Amino acid sequence: MKAPSDDMDETVEINVVPLLDLAWNLLVVFMIVVTASVQGINVNLPKASAAAGKIKPSTKAITVASEGTIYLDSVPVTLAELETYLRQAKASDPNLPVVVRGDEKVEYKSIVEVLDLLSKLEISQLGLVTQKLVK
């Protein structure tokens, strides 16, 4: 007959191979899910060109000067006057395109006020004019 102490002579080891298999499987599943979700998004990417964009004659240009003065095309206006002029222009052309130019020294708040006004008037064809980077 065997003594009970004879069964305990075996060495006990932790087998980490199944744990590593699980970790690798989770990593592969994560990579597939993330890649599939990124590739599944369908967007129309903008195209850049070296040529200057052509502004349509009906396009309204809003400029915010460094001192905070707002100009519609080349006429200085207040925010209330700008709203009136844009509302009239939008009535005649529902797809009114607008470009916004702001001096680099102007307060960010001034640009946000103009953008809020455009959002309020539901003007969706909007462009922000920047200077081309010199390489």
Side-chain angles (χ1 to χ4, degrees):
M1 206 183 285
K2 277 183 148 184
S5 64
D6 291 342
D7 291 336
M8 300 290 186
D9 289 342
E10 296 178 15
T11 57
V12 178
E13 295 179 6
I14 297 176
N15 191 356
V16 294
V17 173
L19 182 63
L20 292 175
D21 288 342
L22 177 66
W24 284 112
N25 283 330
L26 288 174
L27 179 65
V28 169
V29 167
F30 177 75
M31 289 171 48
I32 290 172
V33 168
V34 168
T35 308
S37 67
V38 170
Q39 290 177 354
I41 298 171
N42 187 16
V43 294
N44 294 325
L45 297 174
K47 293 178 179 51
S49 67
K54 295 181 181 176
I55 298 176
K56 297 177 188 174
S58 64
T59 301
K60 295 294 179 188
I62 301 171
T63 306
V64 182
S66 60
E67 67 276 355
T69 306
I70 300 172
Y71 295 90
L72 178 61
D73 295 328
S74 60
V75 179
V77 292
T78 64
L79 212 51
E81 292 171 338
L82 179 64
E83 181 177 0
T84 305
Y85 291 136
L86 289 177
R87 193 176 301 276
Q88 291 171 355
K90 175 117 171 115
S92 64
D93 182 9
N95 294 324
L96 177 70
V98 174
V99 293
V100 178
R101 299 171 24 159
D103 191 275
E104 65 182 9
K105 294 180 177 126
V106 74
E107 290 184 17
Y108 189 65
K109 180 183 175 209
S110 301
I111 300 294
V112 170
E113 288 173 345
V114 171
L115 294 176
D116 283 344
L117 175 64
L118 295 173
S119 176
K120 177 182 166 185
L121 295 175
E122 297 178 359
I123 295 176
S124 59
Q125 293 200 18
L126 172 67
L128 297 174
V129 180
T130 60
Q131 201 172 39
K132 191 174 181 181
L133 289 175
V134 178
K135 292 183 181 180

